């Protein structure tokens, strides 16, 4: 069962983060997480019955952080708002364990085709970014900053797919060189209304 005490929950989520970075998903055990929490495995099982349940809660925790971080700034031109939003999605805060966490989450994502609960939680990240991108693009079309033939829905699908691909490329190949520039070029060449480009 999940604990309702924020400090305890936060401690467990931090321990899960550290354990994932250290062991990866496949080798991760409840004992590993308990060790990082500096409590017994029995104490951890009091709050979460299974590794699966704990990792689902961890994804919920990451989602809350993601939605706090990945936002479009207010009071800026649509192009700048869109670039800032996508940059936030492309570049999570860097820590000493960033690469390890990305790799572990990549392993978690591999469970999605076989586990509906994992799939539903991962879909939330996609839907959140898709909706925010679509809204910014729609605002740009309405205000004339973007071309009037731009479709916000399909544009959001493309840009979110590029972000997801960049994450995968970064993990599997070690870098995502050129992705940010490709996104910027797409926005400037396909979205921005040439008549308003100087106002962006």
């Amino acid at each position: 069962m999940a604990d309702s005490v924020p400090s305890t929950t936060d401690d467990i989520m931090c321990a899960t983060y550290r354990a994932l970075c250290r062991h990866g998903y496949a080798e991760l055990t409840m004992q590993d997480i308990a060790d990082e929490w500096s409590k017994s495995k029995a104490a951890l099982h009091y709050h979460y019955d299974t590794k699966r349940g704990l990792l689902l809660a961890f994804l919920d925790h990451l989602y809350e952080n993601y939605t706090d971080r990945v936002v479009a700034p207010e009071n800026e031109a649509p192009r700048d708002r869109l670039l800032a939003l996508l940059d936030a999605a492309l570049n999570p805060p860097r820590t000493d364990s960033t690469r390890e966490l990305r790799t572990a989450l990549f392993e978690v994502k591999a469970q999605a085709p076989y586990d509906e609960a994992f799939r539903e939680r991962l879909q939330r990240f996609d839907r959140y970014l898709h909706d925010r991108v679509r809204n910014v693009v729609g605002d740009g079309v309405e205000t004339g900053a973007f071309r009037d033939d731009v479709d916000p829905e399909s544009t959001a699908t493309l840009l979110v797919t590029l972000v997801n691909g960049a994450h995968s490329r970064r993990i599997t190949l070690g870098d995502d060189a050129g992705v940010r520039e490709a996104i910027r070029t797409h926005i400037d060449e396909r979205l921005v209304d040439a008549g308003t480009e100087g106002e962006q």
Side-chain angles (χ1 to χ4, degrees):
M1 70 180 191
D3 184 16
S4 61
V5 180
S7 59
T8 301
T9 300
D10 289 345
D11 286 346
I12 294 174
M13 293 301 107
C14 289
T16 303
Y17 174 96
R18 293 191 299 271
L20 272 170
C21 292
R22 188 183 301 273
H23 301 283
Y25 171 81
E27 302 298 324
L28 183 68
T29 67
M30 291 291 274
Q31 185 63 60
D32 294 328
I33 299 169
D35 290 344
E36 294 291 342
W37 188 32
S38 299
K39 298 286 180 69
S40 69
K41 188 168 73 169
L44 184 59
H45 275 294
Y46 174 78
H47 300 290
Y48 298 94
D49 292 334
T50 64
K51 168 184 163 180
R52 176 179 177 275
L54 175 48
L55 289 177
L56 290 173
F58 183 66
L59 287 175
D60 290 337
H61 173 76
L62 290 181
Y63 179 78
E64 291 179 11
N65 292 338
Y66 183 80
T67 57
D68 287 341
R69 178 177 59 81
V70 180
V71 294
E74 299 294 334
N75 303 319
E76 292 190 15
R79 173 184 177 274
D80 294 333
R81 291 177 64 208
L82 183 56
L83 287 172
L85 175 64
L86 294 170
D87 194 57
L90 280 167
N91 293 291
R94 293 186 179 276
T95 69
D96 291 341
S97 302
T98 297
R99 179 170 175 77
E100 289 81 1
L101 180 64
R102 287 174 179 160
T103 302
L105 290 178
F106 194 72
E107 294 179 282
V108 172
K109 289 179 180 181
Q111 309 308 306
Y114 314 104
D115 190 313
E116 184 175 358
F118 278 108
R119 183 165 60 252
E120 287 175 351
R121 280 163 173 79
L122 293 169
Q123 285 172 340
R124 291 174 68 197
F125 290 85
D126 262 31
R127 284 196 301 268
Y128 173 85
L129 182 58
H130 181 279
D131 290 348
R132 297 308 175 281
V133 171
R134 183 191 60 205
N135 291 343
V136 174
V137 174
D139 288 346
V141 173
E142 286 184 14
T143 61
F146 294 155
R147 292 166 32 182
D148 59 12
D149 61 346
V150 169
D151 176 40
E153 186 74 25
S154 62
T155 299
T157 298
L158 174 62
L159 292 175
V160 172
T161 300
L162 286 173
V163 169
N164 288 336
H167 289 162
S168 297
R169 181 177 175 182
R170 186 181 293 158
I171 293 166
T172 57
L173 301 181
D175 71 72
D176 57 359
V179 174
R180 188 177 295 101
E181 291 76 12
I183 288 175
R184 182 182 295 270
T185 297
H186 176 81
I187 291 171
D188 288 341
E189 293 184 354
R190 302 293 184 181
L191 274 65
V192 173
D193 187 322
T196 62
E197 188 170 2
E199 304 171 10
Q200 302 304 306

